[in-house]
Amino acid sequence: MPDPFRRSTRIDAVELSEILKISELAEALKRVGRDIITLGTGEPDFPTPPHVIEAAHQAARRGETVYTLTAGTIELREAIADGCQRENGYRPEIGEIIVSTGAKQVLYNAFAATLDPGDEVLIVAPYWTSYPDIVTVCGGKPVVLPTTAETGFRITPDQLRAAIRPKTRWLLLNSPSNPSGSVYSETDFAALADVLRVAPQVGIMVDEIYQHISYVPFRSFRAVAPDLADHTLIVNGVSKSYAMTGWRIGWGIGPKRLASAMLAVQSQITSGASSVSQAAAAAALNGDQQMLAERADDFRERRDMLAAALNATGVLDCPSADGAFYLFPGCAAAFGRTTAQGRKIDNDADFCEVLLEEQGVALVPGRAFGTPGHVRLSYAYSRASLHEAATRIARFCASMT
Ligand code: PMP
């Protein structure tokens, strides 16, 4: 009998997340009483600022509890435009901005609005795990461009030039990057823009969600290549900068014809983002920005502490990361070795699984991000947790023969 709930071909191709597998194993170990430290997830450990929460209360009391404009309230889009002017040096028009249910939905809207079957999207690995899957769900074909620590996990202009084909519809960049922490400089972006100027069939999507967690000067692609604005979609949001992951507000900034196609998708899928969350996001963007730098400094201290501890193991090879709150060390020195408890490590998935079972530390294998041979650690955790995790990882590495 055919199953009415059999998966569609599109959804069948979507991978079960490696992150989920590690989380499930971590949960199972916790249930049997093990003390597990998770450095797996990607959200800031700071609370949402109190003035933002207060703005949400006030909006609800004022009756802002009904549908908003599908593209987002004028107040929030003004605040986004002001923020862009203040921080990136350009001011998008209100009609170029579309507010969605997190940055994730911006990606979905853009791909759903533009991809036909077989259209290709260039994705730089290591990539955020959802990128290829969102492309696949939207009927497109992810084409992965691998990078290594030697180029700071950044794509080179030659690599991009060689990868562009007639079917290429988008290049997707992420700066600062999850999981590598790499940040494209003005020079990097300018060199990529030179390649993209002669490839007018390629849309440029740049995910700048970690903009405020950068330890080197952050440059928005649109500010570096304003002449390409007509082919560029900038993705951003409040989740990481303002510690607002649960409020689900992100936005896209792109040319009006793209914004209106994305709006068509959004109007039929969600009708727009939560009204109360939009008021909160506007308050975050219009309020005191001092905390952004303070939080970035705090993350930087934690990065330095953890990177030094990982490099001291002699097994993990941890290049410095210029932004976001992740480290992405290589773990190949562990391959072929055996732990004190007799477990052999052959790849990054083994490293994570055995580390979790023997020492109770949950990391994510690099293969989840299209880059095997590495592991990802998030340092958006308390210093005490990071310290304990580093001690256990060091013990694990020292136990290998
Ligand atoms: N882009 C990247 C690179 C991310 O790491 C994340 C969150 N993990 C998102 C987008 C999604 O952000 P949002 O919460 O706004 O959907």
Side-chain angles (χ1 to χ4, degrees):
M1 281 292 250
D3 178 0
F5 301 139
R6 69 185 174 279
R7 289 172 175 226
S8 66
T9 327
R10 279 192 334 277
I11 297 303
D12 213 25
V14 171
E15 310 270 327
L16 180 73
S17 148
E18 293 271 350
I19 302 187
L20 208 70
K21 284 187 214 159
I22 283 286
S23 307
E24 278 173 5
L25 180 56
E27 279 312 311
L29 291 171
K30 274 185 200 163
R31 275 198 300 277
V32 297
R34 291 277 306 276
D35 166 28
I36 303 295
I37 302 179
T38 302
L39 301 188
T41 51
E43 45 189 343
D45 61 331
F46 295 108
T48 298
H51 70 276
V52 172
I53 294 175
E54 182 52 33
H57 276 198
Q58 284 171 14
R61 287 200 205 96
R62 273 197 310 271
E64 289 180 30
T65 51
V66 294
Y67 295 129
T68 68
L69 290 173
T70 304
T73 63
I74 299 294
E75 291 73 22
L76 175 53
R77 284 185 287 159
E78 291 280 5
I80 292 166
D82 290 347
C84 222
Q85 175 76 69
R86 184 174 67 228
E87 288 143 15
N88 299 324
Y90 67 90
R91 189 172 213 288
E93 289 178 36
I94 297 304
E96 292 181 304
I97 303 172
I98 153 161
V99 174
S100 299
T101 305
K104 205 172 208 172
Q105 202 204 350
V106 179
L107 289 152
Y108 176 84
N109 286 346
F111 291 135
T114 56
L115 294 179
D116 279 315
D119 283 348
E120 296 182 354
V121 177
L122 301 178
I123 297 176
V124 181
Y127 48 70
W128 178 42
T129 46
S130 293
Y131 289 158
D133 290 329
I134 297 174
V135 169
T136 304
V137 168
C138 293
K141 188 173 162 221
V143 174
V144 174
L145 307 181
T147 64
T148 62
E150 280 68 55
T151 60
F153 295 111
R154 284 164 300 184
I155 188 183
T156 64
D158 285 343
Q159 202 182 357
L160 174 61
R161 197 176 294 110
I164 292 175
R165 308 192 324 152
K167 283 210 163 259
T168 310
R169 291 291 306 280
W170 286 99
L171 164 69
L172 174 48
L173 297 173
N174 175 210
S175 176
S177 153
N178 171 10
S180 73
S182 65
V183 178
Y184 286 81
S185 68
E186 168 138 18
T187 323
D188 295 329
F189 272 154
L192 295 178
D194 285 342
V195 177
L196 292 160
R197 272 186 199 104
V198 291
Q201 82 276 24
V202 183
I204 308 143
M205 196 185 305
V206 191
D207 180 347
E208 301 183 342
I209 190 102
Y210 292 97
Q211 149 156 29
H212 292 290
I213 309 170
S214 183
Y215 318 120
V216 293
F218 169 86
R219 292 291 277 147
S220 172
F221 182 84
R222 183 159 150 166
V224 176
D227 59 311
L228 288 175
D230 195 47
H231 288 179
T232 301
L233 176 68
I234 299 294
V235 181
N236 211 324
V238 289
S239 287
K240 315 286 172 170
S241 314
Y242 299 95
M244 291 176 68
T245 47
W247 299 77
R248 310 306 305 125
I249 297 291
W251 54 84
I253 300 174
K256 286 183 190 154
R257 66 189 187 293
L258 174 63
S260 83
M262 291 166 66
L263 203 57
V265 176
Q266 176 152 305
S267 70
Q268 302 302 355
I269 303 291
T270 62
S271 297
S274 145
S275 57
V276 171
S277 292
Q278 289 188 61
L285 287 165
N286 289 335
D288 175 28
Q289 305 297 303
Q290 178 59 27
M291 61 153 211
L292 295 175
E294 288 165 9
R295 289 179 174 186
D297 281 347
D298 194 276
F299 278 131
R300 189 210 314 250
E301 280 177 26
R302 292 189 247 176
R303 173 200 68 170
D304 291 345
M305 186 267 263
L306 190 60
L310 298 179
N311 278 323
T313 62
V315 170
L316 292 172
D317 179 13
C318 191
S320 186
D322 288 333
F325 37 64
Y326 308 99
L327 290 171
F328 197 61
C331 60
F335 300 170
R337 295 171 72 177
T338 305
T339 66
Q341 295 182 28
R343 298 285 301 275
K344 190 152 177 271
I345 312 285
D346 281 328
N347 53 50
D348 53 320
D350 290 349
F351 188 96
C352 292
E353 194 181 311
V354 181
L355 173 67
L356 180 54
E357 283 172 2
E358 293 192 357
Q359 295 292 339
V361 180
L363 311 182
V364 186
R367 63 182 54 193
F369 312 97
T371 309
H374 292 256
V375 292
R376 187 192 77 171
L377 305 86
S378 162
Y379 50 86
Y381 291 93
S382 71
R383 283 172 170 71
S385 296
L386 295 177
H387 209 80
E388 176 61 20
T391 306
R392 294 186 192 186
I393 293 168
R395 201 183 299 140
F396 181 66
C397 291
S399 83
M400 289 179 194
T401 48

